[in-house]
Amino acid sequence: QVQLVESGGGLVQPGGSLRLACAASGFTFSVYQMSWVRQAPGKGLEWVSAINSGGDSTTYQDSVKGRFTISRDNAKNTLYLQMNSLKPEDTAVYYCATGPRPLYSDYVDRADFGSWGQGTQVTVSS
């Protein structure tokens, strides 16, 4: 069955960096567009970034553009999110999900994506 397992979250000071990973199994990872989605405390799901199947086209939410980088290694069935210059407002549970950026809004529902991981907590605080 489809399995997505995120890792790499943690506590980091403002201005710091983290690299998230999402290990995929149970499906042909290399043909799927993939996204990162986050949920801040008390808020809804927010799309963050997406990458096409080949890894040569990426998109970002405006608030993370220039600070976050999405990438993938299809040989390792793994999706990544490099997060630099982290801010307290980046604090959230980060999920990887199968599917592209939704067309209508960056605020999304679980039904907008095919499969989800369990999430990894990122906390940005001094």
Side-chain angles (χ1 to χ4, degrees):
Q1 72 280 16
V2 174
Q3 192 168 18
L4 298 169
V5 180
E6 300 94 338
S7 62
L11 173 64
V12 63
Q13 292 187 341
S17 298
L18 283 174
R19 189 193 196 201
L20 306 184
C22 170
S25 61
F27 66 106
T28 307
F29 176 74
S30 62
V31 305
Y32 277 78
Q33 298 183 68
M34 297 293 296
S35 286
W36 286 98
V37 179
R38 68 186 179 185
Q39 187 167 28
K43 297 190 177 180
L45 294 165
E46 179 184 42
W47 173 84
V48 173
S49 181
I51 188 168
N52 69 342
S53 59
D56 58 352
S57 179
T58 58
T59 56
Y60 299 93
Q61 188 201 108
D62 285 347
S63 69
V64 307
K65 208 171 288 184
R67 300 188 297 122
F68 290 11
T69 302
I70 189 172
S71 62
R72 66 191 297 162
D73 185 336
N74 286 340
K76 295 183 178 179
N77 288 347
T78 302
L79 176 73
Y80 301 100
L81 186 67
Q82 177 68 43
M83 305 186 296
N84 298 329
S85 301
L86 282 161
K87 304 176 181 180
E89 52 262 44
D90 295 317
T91 295
V93 177
Y94 283 73
Y95 301 91
C96 63
T98 56
R101 179 181 195 174
L103 295 176
Y104 62 92
S105 173
D106 287 344
Y107 292 94
V108 300
D109 295 320
R110 284 196 166 263
D112 291 322
F113 299 89
S115 298
W116 293 73
Q118 84 290 347
T120 186
Q121 177 70 49
V122 172
T123 302
V124 185
S125 174
S126 54

